Every structure is written in C-alpha cells, then in structure tokens.
Amino acid sequence: MSSPSPWLTKQRKTELVELAKLVGLTDYSSLLKPQLEVALEDHLKKHQSTLAKNPAFSGFYKTTSSPVKKEIATASALVNADIEAKQSKPRGRRVTKVSDEIGNTDESSPDGTGRSALLARTPRANLAFARNVPLPPSPAVVADAIDRRTAALRRKAIKSWKKSGVTDRAEGLRDTLSSVVSVEALVLLIEAIGLRTEVLPTRYAFTIPGVAPLRTPAWPVYLPDFFLLLTSAFWLPVTLWLTTSFIAPLAFAYFFNLSHKAKASTRSSSAYKFDPLTFNIAKALVTYLVYGQGVKFGGIVGDDSPWRIITSVPGGYEGILIGAGIGALTSVYEAVLKK
C-alpha cells in the first residue's frame, strides 16, 4: 500500500471529519487523524466514479497517482532480473519460483532489512504495528496509582489498629493510673520489691541442660528461697514495714479524714474513706521516728529489722519519705482539680 494522499495529510482533523460526513463514512468518531486519512482514501478510491465529479474532492483526484502500477513495474523488473540471473547458471540446479525467492528475502536477511524495507513502503502497516506496541503509562497515571495504593494501605492499617483494641486498653490503663490510689500503690510496690531481695533472696534451684543439636548452653535457674517464710528472719522485717508504711498510716487516714467532713457538708460522693493526704503525712512521720530516730515504741521494734529495711528499700528511709511526699503532692493536686 502507498502512503495517504498529500492532499489528505494537509487537511486538519475537523476538515477530515466534514469530508467523512460528506461522503457518508460511518464509525469515524473514534478514529485518529492518520486512521481517518486512510479510511477516506480507501473510500474515495472505491467510489471514484461517483465522487470525482464533486468539486470538493478535485484536489484529491488531481494529486493521486497510480502507486499500484509503480509497484507492479518494480516487481516485474525484479522478477525478470532474477530469471536472467538463474538462466546463466548451470542447468543441473533446479530453478525455484521467483515469487518464493522474493517472499523469503525477509527470512534470509540476518539484520531484518527486508522487513524494514517492506514497512517503509507500507505506512499503514507501520501504523497498525505502532498501535499494537504497548506504551508505558504517563507519570501522572503512575502517581495516581501509587496514591490509591497508599490510601488503601493506610485504611487497612487504621482498621487493623482499631480492631486490635490497643487504643481502648491504653485509655483504660490511663484512667486506672490517673488517681491518688494508683500512685500510692506504685510507691508501695517499689518498696516491696526492694524489701523482697533482702528477706526472700533467690537461691540456685536447678539447671536446664543444653541441647547439642540446637547449640543452646546449660541454663541455671534461680528461685526465691521460700523456706524463709517459716522463719522470723522473714516475718519480723516484713511486719515492721507493713506497719510503718501501710497499716499505721491507713489507721490515721481513716480517723483523721478531712475529706469525709467535706463530703458531709457538700453532699459530694467523690470523697475517700481514707484521707490520702493524712495517709502520707502519717507515713512520713512514722518512718522518720522508726528509721531516722530509732524509736523502739517500748521495745516492740527490734534492733535488726529497721536496719534490714533501710538497706533494702531503694533510697533507704529517705526514699520512703520521698514516696510519702509524692503521694501528698498528688492528693493535694487532685483535691484542687475537684474544686
């Protein structure tokens, strides 16, 4: 096939659309300009007898040559030249058909020049070949695809996080710890952990043997010496610590409960049964007397137990006083917030 007529290629697409409407061409709205040129040329050549008289297409028929005749003449010249060349060879070889020789030029060409020449002579084939080649998407399309994928992953992550319930558990834990009682319990827990290392130390119990195929070493296991629970070496310091840090301050907080009187006057239901401020003041006072001044309270407190508590609790008896001060400040701050 020859290339479209120069007269058609010079026309704009809007003009080509008008020409397509004029000749009665259908299904041209989705065609590109090169495709529309090819379709118009085919239609005009098929209906040359009726459309040649139309002055709107006079330019097309004036510039149209006969490329078919040129191709036939070129093919005939190639055939004659091949026949003459083969007639000059010895008669022992069989003369193959010239048409097969011409058809096999593309296969025999190592660099594909035959096919390239054929495509150069047939622009329509080039156009069809270009339409079949997959082109990469534009950067805008790639960016939109990445944004959609990122948004989908973000939604899945948020949904999974909500299903896990971590946020609800964290909120519940914060509500639980945001009170004076939680602060007091934390201070007592720190003191108890320090005291445990003194009154209930760990001892070697047994060894977990290593596994040779897994190359794991032997692992010695240490457990608290629970036999000390049957001795006074455990109960004397523990009882003294419970009395000075919890029982005695709790008794003072119950009987000297200023928040209870405020509850009766204001009819408030948020008051504590044990005044937290009185609890910490009493704890600090008893701690100072027993561990700081060595008061025996008539021989009730032994000589060895206070020393064991002071050396085991973090910070000594000063650490207990600091914990009582923190509790007192927390109770005052909570009372101010409730006003």
Side-chain angles (χ1 to χ4, degrees):
M1 293 181 184
S2 61
S3 60
S5 172
W7 184 80
L8 290 174
T9 57
K10 292 179 181 179
Q11 306 294 328
R12 297 181 180 178
K13 186 175 180 181
T14 55
E15 298 174 348
L16 294 176
V17 171
E18 295 297 331
L19 294 176
K21 292 180 181 179
L22 186 60
V23 300
L25 192 64
T26 59
D27 298 334
Y28 58 85
S29 59
S30 61
L31 298 179
L32 299 176
K33 186 175 182 295
Q35 297 173 342
L36 188 57
E37 293 172 1
V38 174
L40 278 172
E41 183 177 10
D42 291 340
H43 188 82
L44 291 174
K45 287 182 179 180
K46 289 180 181 179
H47 302 82
Q48 183 176 0
S49 59
T50 58
L51 297 175
K53 299 177 182 180
N54 193 332
F57 305 105
S58 59
F60 170 78
Y61 291 110
K62 288 180 181 179
T63 58
T64 302
S65 60
S66 57
V68 178
K69 293 182 180 181
K70 292 181 180 179
E71 290 185 3
I72 293 174
T74 304
S76 300
L78 291 174
V79 171
N80 294 332
D82 194 28
I83 293 174
E84 291 178 359
K86 290 190 176 184
Q87 285 179 354
S88 62
K89 294 181 180 180
R91 294 182 180 180
R93 297 184 180 180
R94 184 178 60 183
V95 179
T96 57
K97 295 182 179 180
V98 177
S99 59
D100 293 339
E101 294 287 339
I102 297 175
N104 293 332
T105 54
D106 291 342
E107 298 178 359
S108 62
S109 178
D111 56 352
T113 56
R115 181 173 297 179
S116 300
L118 178 61
L119 292 176
R121 287 191 311 223
T122 56
R124 298 182 190 176
N126 283 335
L127 184 60
F129 178 75
R131 285 199 302 267
N132 294 329
V133 174
L135 298 176
S138 64
V141 175
V142 175
D144 292 340
I146 293 174
D147 291 340
R148 289 194 299 269
R149 185 60 178 171
T150 304
L153 292 175
R154 188 185 299 110
R155 287 193 298 270
K156 289 181 180 179
I158 294 173
K159 188 176 180 181
S160 301
W161 178 261
K162 290 182 178 179
K163 284 185 177 180
S164 65
V166 176
T167 304
D168 296 336
R169 294 187 182 94
E171 293 290 339
L173 180 61
R174 187 181 69 173
D175 294 339
T176 303
L177 296 178
S178 300
S179 64
V180 178
V181 177
S182 299
V183 175
E184 299 291 350
L186 181 61
V187 172
L188 291 174
L189 179 62
I190 295 174
E191 295 177 6
I193 292 174
L195 183 62
R196 202 276 310 167
T197 60
E198 172 65 25
V199 299
L200 200 64
T202 56
R203 298 286 187 267
Y204 170 78
F206 56 90
T207 301
I208 298 176
V211 181
L214 299 178
R215 298 181 179 180
T216 57
W219 184 20
V221 178
Y222 295 87
L223 296 175
D225 189 2
F226 293 105
F227 290 103
L228 293 175
L229 295 174
L230 304 176
T231 64
S232 60
F234 172 81
W235 288 108
L236 286 178
V238 170
T239 304
L240 179 61
W241 173 77
L242 283 174
T243 303
T244 57
S245 295
F246 185 70
I247 297 176
L250 199 65
F252 277 96
Y254 180 78
F255 289 105
F256 298 93
N257 192 348
L258 302 179
S259 62
H260 179 73
K261 187 176 181 180
K263 173 185 175 182
S265 60
T266 60
R267 297 180 181 180
S268 174
S269 60
S270 60
Y272 293 103
K273 292 183 178 180
F274 301 88
D275 193 338
L277 181 60
T278 306
F279 176 88
N280 289 283
I281 293 174
K283 179 180 178 181
L285 180 61
V286 174
T287 299
Y288 174 74
L289 293 175
V290 174
Y291 303 114
Q293 299 300 320
V295 178
K296 303 297 182 180
F297 291 102
I300 297 177
V301 180
D303 296 331
D304 185 52
S305 297
W307 179 81
R308 295 182 65 186
I309 294 173
I310 292 173
T311 57
S312 60
V313 173
Y317 92 93
E318 294 88 353
I320 300 177
L321 293 177
I322 293 174
I326 293 174
L329 290 177
T330 306
S331 61
V332 172
Y333 180 66
E334 185 184 48
V336 172
L337 292 178
K338 289 181 178 180
K339 291 298 182 180

